Amino acid sequence: MRDLQLLKGQKVDITKGKGVRDLTIRLRWNTEHAGISVDAAAFLLSGQNRCERDEDFIFYGNPVSRDGTVSHTAEGENEESLLISLSGIPEQYARIAVTLTIYEGEQQNLRMKELSGLQLLLIDRKNGEELYCFDYGTDLSDETAVVAGELYRHQGEWKFSAVGSGFNGGLAALCKSYGLEVEPEAGNEAAATAELVEKTEKVEEVEKVGNVENVEKSETILPQTAPAADVNVLSSIDLRKKIVGFTLVKKQLTDVKARVGIVLDITGSMRNLYSSGVVQEVVERILAVACQLDDNGSLDVWVYDTEFSRLPPVTERDLGSYVFNHIMNNDSIHKFGRNNEPPVMEDVIQKYTREEKDTTPVFIIFINDGGVVKPTKKVIMASSSLPIFWQFVGIGDSDFEVLKQLDTMGGRLVDNANFIHLDRIEEVNDEQLYDQLLNEFPQWLKAAKAKRIL
């Protein structure tokens, strides 16, 4: 008998007090027409919330994990299952993300809103008992993929989180968010799948040979300990770091070191940008700046609406799914309320001038989609004598009344803030973005040194 109907965001015990060792996760759906093909998959994630090997992506093209503890089966036209032996999963795996994607959804203009009856069942394989049921997807619209749920370790046991969050970009975007680099031609999802299958088959062939000397000369086969980020010679973050490097040369900033932070608006109007993956992409793009300016290669992160949260810094190692794991799946964060910028700005000041007092300049990139409260100007004025430069980035079609006044705002020791408006930041290429982000930072550095702020 089914024990509980799960709600989105709910977390429940799977092994603790239940004795469940072998679990079936059954995914069901209905389609509006026969032309829609839907695929279920599992991503076996390390403690850094990423797939460390291509073979850790379990789907129809790679149906069984290397150790045999996770397997994929197709039950019928609108049903697929993941069979998981929880007791045998190696310690290196901390989480298992369960996903659904519409095959070539982006190319065929097929969206999640054309699916109905999305359901995830958790079943004890020993006796066939349905433990939990999660009905989800009524809030999905133009997404082409969804993270249905996630199994994760907690104090030596396994728990399940009912996620149900939509994702744009289909298979390729999901793989990228979990640290797998696929490069489908012209956005062709079939090519991405074929590439993963090919890599998996090649690694399996190497393991059968069992002789490292036989594979050392092959450039397409990775050592078993290589992280997924090494699949391509240059990952997207590597390419972006190079573009930032070119921009620093152009702006004569090659000898500059700075602490870099990002403040992310998480008010109600930002909801779609989080669910669609735009914010995750923004974090990666700004991390490239931090990697070039900051010696420790990390990006400090804050989110805010009426309240704020200071989050763990993001690095290249934990970049994949950072927004999902540390923000969207973090129940302690207040989300989708109204604007209130001054408290989070005061916390930024607290961190860099009191907790970590240093003369190294601070470069803060402040992402906002409008509605900035007027007292924000007072904080900017009060911080003009501090080694902090505020680079505001307005996204969307708001009028940004307060931020537009920054260039003419008086009462400051130096001009310590700049504002740029990028209506659709996801459509601005990296070279243009970095050029605009770093446009006024050099002038502030010069003025701050002249006033002995630095």
Side-chain angles (χ1 to χ4, degrees):
M1 178 179 293
R2 186 173 300 161
D3 182 46
L4 187 65
Q5 184 80 27
L6 298 181
L7 300 176
K8 186 173 181 177
Q10 189 172 354
K11 298 176 175 64
V12 292
D13 292 314
I14 297 298
T15 55
K16 186 178 181 180
K18 294 182 172 61
V20 177
R21 297 175 60 86
D22 297 311
L23 184 71
T24 295
I25 299 181
R26 184 164 296 151
L27 297 115
R28 293 171 173 166
W29 60 88
N30 296 316
T31 59
E32 295 295 324
H33 56 81
I36 302 179
S37 178
V38 180
D39 301 312
F43 291 84
L44 311 186
L45 307 176
S46 68
Q48 285 71 46
N49 297 308
R50 60 182 293 133
C51 285
E52 300 295 347
R53 300 168 57 98
D54 292 322
E55 310 90 276
D56 293 339
F57 172 41
I58 310 303
F59 67 119
Y60 66 85
N62 179 41
V64 183
S65 63
R66 294 172 62 246
D67 50 45
T69 57
V70 181
S71 61
H72 170 280
T73 63
E75 306 290 338
E77 186 175 349
N78 293 331
E79 183 177 308
E80 295 183 7
S81 292
L82 296 163
L83 310 181
I84 304 172
S85 297
L86 294 171
S87 58
I89 294 177
E91 287 297 322
Q92 70 198 61
Y93 300 120
R95 293 175 178 265
I96 300 176
V98 179
T99 68
L100 277 185
T101 57
I102 297 178
Y103 180 72
E104 295 194 334
E106 300 287 335
Q107 291 72 41
Q108 299 184 56
N109 196 29
L110 299 173
R111 301 291 185 256
M112 280 291 170
K113 62 187 176 184
E114 297 174 76
L115 302 183
S116 61
L118 290 170
Q119 185 181 76
L120 182 151
L121 296 173
L122 296 168
I123 302 169
D124 185 345
R125 282 168 55 194
K126 181 179 180 181
N127 54 24
E129 178 186 359
E130 292 183 8
L131 303 172
Y132 300 102
C133 175
F134 177 39
D135 294 317
Y136 63 98
T138 56
D139 57 342
L140 299 178
S141 180
D142 292 328
E143 300 89 346
T144 52
V146 60
V147 179
E150 189 175 67
L151 285 167
Y152 63 99
R153 294 185 192 270
H154 180 71
Q155 297 180 351
E157 304 283 353
W158 283 96
K159 300 187 71 170
F160 178 81
S161 174
V163 181
S165 293
F167 208 96
N168 285 338
L171 173 66
L174 268 179
C175 287
K176 183 177 180 181
S177 74
Y178 288 124
L180 293 174
E181 287 295 331
V182 295
E183 297 178 353
E185 297 180 3
N188 187 336
E189 225 165 85
T193 302
E195 181 181 351
L196 283 168
V197 173
E198 182 181 4
K199 288 177 180 176
T200 301
E201 290 174 346
K202 286 181 178 179
V203 174
E204 287 175 350
E205 289 173 3
V206 173
E207 290 171 349
K208 290 177 181 178
V209 172
N211 187 342
V212 176
E213 292 182 356
N214 290 336
V215 300
E216 283 182 341
K217 297 180 180 180
S218 173
E219 296 179 357
T220 59
I221 300 174
L222 298 174
Q224 292 188 17
T225 57
D230 291 336
V231 171
N232 294 307
V233 177
L234 291 176
S235 68
S236 59
I237 187 69
D238 291 324
L239 290 171
R240 283 171 168 155
K241 286 191 294 184
K242 284 186 174 291
I243 296 172
V244 173
F246 296 147
T247 306
L248 294 178
V249 171
K250 179 180 175 182
K251 305 289 185 182
Q252 298 183 341
L253 293 172
T254 53
D255 295 327
V256 172
K257 293 300 177 185
R259 295 172 286 175
V260 184
I262 186 170
V263 179
L264 296 168
D265 182 345
I266 196 167
T267 56
S269 54
M270 289 283 293
R271 186 187 299 267
N272 288 339
L273 295 179
Y274 277 90
S275 64
S276 65
V278 170
V279 175
Q280 171 70 31
E281 186 77 1
V282 167
V283 171
E284 176 176 320
R285 298 172 85 176
I286 304 306
L287 175 60
V289 177
C291 288
Q292 295 290 57
L293 286 177
D294 198 328
D295 283 335
N296 65 13
S298 66
L299 175 67
D300 297 322
V301 184
W302 286 261
V303 294
Y304 80 97
D305 55 3
T306 50
E307 302 177 13
F308 73 87
S309 295
R310 190 195 297 184
L311 303 179
V314 59
T315 66
E316 290 183 64
R317 287 188 59 81
D318 57 10
L319 173 61
S321 301
Y322 180 90
V323 168
F324 175 76
N325 289 315
H326 290 279
I327 302 177
M328 299 304 289
N329 204 32
N330 188 342
D331 293 337
S332 67
I333 292 178
H334 196 275
K335 306 179 183 73
F336 309 128
R338 296 183 179 181
N339 289 73
N340 190 18
E341 286 74 21
V344 69
M345 295 176 72
E346 292 289 356
D347 192 64
V348 170
I349 293 170
Q350 168 78 17
K351 173 180 172 65
Y352 293 119
T353 65
R354 300 185 189 100
E355 297 174 15
E356 302 173 10
K357 194 171 182 179
D358 194 339
T359 57
T360 303
V362 178
F363 184 44
I364 296 296
I365 297 159
F366 205 110
I367 306 295
N368 169 269
D369 75 337
V372 172
V373 297
K374 290 183 179 180
T376 300
K377 294 193 292 185
K378 293 183 179 180
V379 182
I380 294 173
M381 293 172 62
S383 64
S384 66
S385 61
L386 302 175
I388 300 174
F389 182 76
W390 306 92
Q391 175 59 67
F392 288 88
V393 181
I395 57 179
D397 57 3
S398 179
D399 58 12
F400 299 102
E401 177 185 359
V402 174
L403 296 179
K404 286 179 179 178
Q405 299 172 19
L406 293 182
D407 285 336
T408 58
M409 190 171 66
R412 293 178 288 173
L413 185 60
V414 295
D415 183 354
N416 62 333
N418 183 46
F419 169 66
I420 59 175
H421 182 199
L422 304 173
D423 188 358
R424 294 182 60 81
I425 192 170
E426 65 271 27
E427 295 180 359
V428 178
N429 67 43
D430 291 335
E431 186 176 358
Q432 293 171 331
L433 176 64
Y434 297 138
D435 185 72
Q436 294 188 62
L437 283 178
L438 294 163
N439 195 43
E440 289 203 14
F441 187 50
Q443 290 93 302
W444 172 78
L445 286 171
K446 184 176 180 180
K449 289 176 181 177
K451 296 291 184 179
R452 298 192 176 182
I453 296 172
L454 299 176

